[in-house]
Amino acid sequence: MDLLTEFSNAMRTDQDRPEKLALLVGKLTDPGLDVDSYVRRLDELADQVEQSMPVGALGRARAEALIAVLHGEFDFFGNVENYYDPSNSFLHRVLDTRLGLPITLSLLYMAVGRRLGMTLRGLGLPGHFMLEYSDTNGVWILDPFHAKVVASEELSYYLTQVFQQPIRISVSLDQYRTDTGAWMLRILNNLRSVYISQHRLRDALSVLNYMVIVEPEEATLWRDRGMLHFGLENMLSAENDLRRYFLLRNRLQLFTGEAEIVFSGVAVGGWMPEAQQEPSQEDQRVLFVLKQIRDEIRRLN
């Protein structure tokens, strides 16, 4: 089974185990990675952590105990010195080096905490990833990267201190809770950004191959993958991805060159459906690249 098929299958069967999906992403850098052995390491780590956790602790005390054990005893730290090292985005590397990003450390904490019966959810907060812990005593927010626990009502003040600029968080945390798909996309997007900044286009393309599996209806992912194919001179693949981009946006007429027919229509009441609107500036940029792609395909054929 190839890596993408394996990941695609796991997206259907392992939604309740985001750590398993994150380990499969690790095959991007280590194709022979033994995922099951790292799942067992998480099981063993949870057993070890449980031995150090105070019996019967609840509420903030239990959240702080989890931080104290994983950070203080097992030395899992935020990689401040090499924040943009791609290894920080791979869970198996985080287990090996004990260094990671806010999002991968949060995933590690959640994987361990859930094995201990703790209710933990990912929070995709502005500029930072944290965890929500709840039990019968209330709700607390864990920051594995900085090894801190804060009350939910203190969150805005805490993030303001971390980033040294005003940050206001909604009273409700619902809008920040992250499901498995969004969690994977955020990890993958971090990795893509690092690879692009390092001009590692083939690696960035490999990441996007995973991203379109996670969110196949997100048009911008197909656009971005098409642009990477173009940069790598994969012209047929680039054209196919840009076709999918316009199709998902219900603007296939731009791809087929029928725009002039559509744009002769008249808007009603000053409004026109997106499919019948003039190309946006972004559309024009994509169409400019599409023309270059087609010119190159014709030249090669």
Side-chain angles (χ1 to χ4, degrees):
M1 185 186 304
D2 67 72
L3 302 184
L4 292 175
T5 299
E6 183 180 18
F7 182 75
S8 180
N9 290 341
M11 278 297 300
R12 293 191 298 272
T13 61
D14 290 285
Q15 283 287 318
D16 60 339
R17 294 199 299 167
E19 67 273 19
K20 171 75 175 295
L21 293 166
L23 289 169
L24 286 170
V25 169
K27 291 194 173 188
L28 278 166
T29 188
D30 294 310
L33 180 69
D34 185 347
V35 169
D36 289 338
S37 72
Y38 278 91
V39 171
R40 289 192 294 273
R41 281 182 60 176
L42 285 169
D43 294 339
E44 293 164 2
L45 179 60
D47 289 341
Q48 294 170 329
V49 169
E50 187 172 29
Q51 294 173 19
S52 297
M53 294 279 283
V55 177
L58 288 173
R60 185 167 192 149
R62 188 160 175 78
E64 289 178 338
L66 184 64
I67 291 275
V69 174
L70 283 171
H71 178 77
E73 293 187 26
F74 288 90
D75 298 324
F76 284 100
F77 288 88
N79 195 347
V80 177
E81 294 185 2
N82 293 297
Y83 191 88
Y84 296 103
D85 184 339
S87 294
N88 295 326
S89 292
F90 294 115
L91 183 58
H92 73 289
R93 295 282 181 87
V94 174
L95 279 163
D96 289 340
T97 66
R98 309 205 175 193
L99 294 169
L101 297 175
I103 191 168
T104 44
L105 287 172
S106 291
L107 184 55
L108 170 74
Y109 271 66
M110 190 179 78
V112 170
R114 284 185 172 179
R115 283 164 168 79
L116 303 181
M118 298 176 70
T119 301
L120 292 160
R121 301 183 183 91
L123 291 176
L125 297 160
H128 199 45
F129 203 96
M130 299 173 72
L131 287 174
E132 175 190 9
Y133 167 61
S134 60
D135 63 21
T136 54
N137 284 19
V139 176
W140 286 265
I141 312 301
L142 285 73
D143 183 355
F145 191 80
H146 295 107
K148 299 290 184 182
V149 175
V150 297
S152 56
E153 62 270 18
E154 302 168 343
L155 188 53
S156 294
Y157 175 77
Y158 175 75
L159 290 175
T160 296
Q161 297 302 113
V162 168
F163 292 106
Q164 294 296 298
Q165 63 182 25
I167 294 178
R168 184 175 179 80
I169 300 299
S170 170
V171 174
S172 171
L173 295 175
D174 292 355
Q175 63 181 304
Y176 303 112
R177 288 176 182 154
T178 305
D179 63 19
T180 297
W183 204 320
M184 290 305 104
L185 278 181
R186 194 152 170 164
I187 288 174
L188 289 163
N189 193 53
N190 287 343
L191 192 55
R192 171 179 62 163
S193 297
V194 170
Y195 283 150
I196 288 176
S197 70
Q198 296 176 353
H199 306 290
R200 296 169 59 178
L201 298 188
R202 292 191 184 280
D203 290 326
L205 178 60
S206 295
V207 172
L208 269 160
N209 289 339
Y210 280 71
M211 294 180 79
V212 297
I213 289 173
V214 178
E215 194 59 69
E217 301 303 310
E218 176 52 57
T220 59
L221 295 178
W222 294 95
R223 177 200 64 197
D224 294 348
R225 197 175 78 163
M227 292 298 191
L228 280 174
H229 275 304
F230 170 65
L232 292 166
E233 300 183 357
N234 305 327
M235 298 304 173
L236 290 175
S237 295
E239 186 181 40
N240 285 336
D241 280 356
L242 295 184
R243 182 184 188 280
R244 178 69 67 90
Y245 165 69
F246 284 117
L247 178 63
L248 288 171
R249 294 185 58 235
N250 194 27
R251 309 208 75 188
L252 192 57
Q253 76 281 353
L254 295 178
F255 179 85
T256 58
E258 298 171 358
E260 67 278 3
I261 299 174
V262 176
F263 300 140
S264 63
V266 178
V268 177
W271 177 85
M272 187 179 289
E274 182 182 10
Q276 298 179 20
Q277 293 172 12
E278 293 283 350
S280 65
Q281 187 173 0
E282 175 59 22
D283 286 336
Q284 292 173 19
R285 183 179 75 90
V286 176
L287 289 169
F288 177 75
V289 172
L290 183 59
K291 182 180 184 304
Q292 295 180 69
I293 291 169
R294 286 171 169 166
D295 288 346
E296 183 64 13
I297 290 173
R298 282 193 292 269
R299 187 187 69 81
L300 293 173
N301 291 335

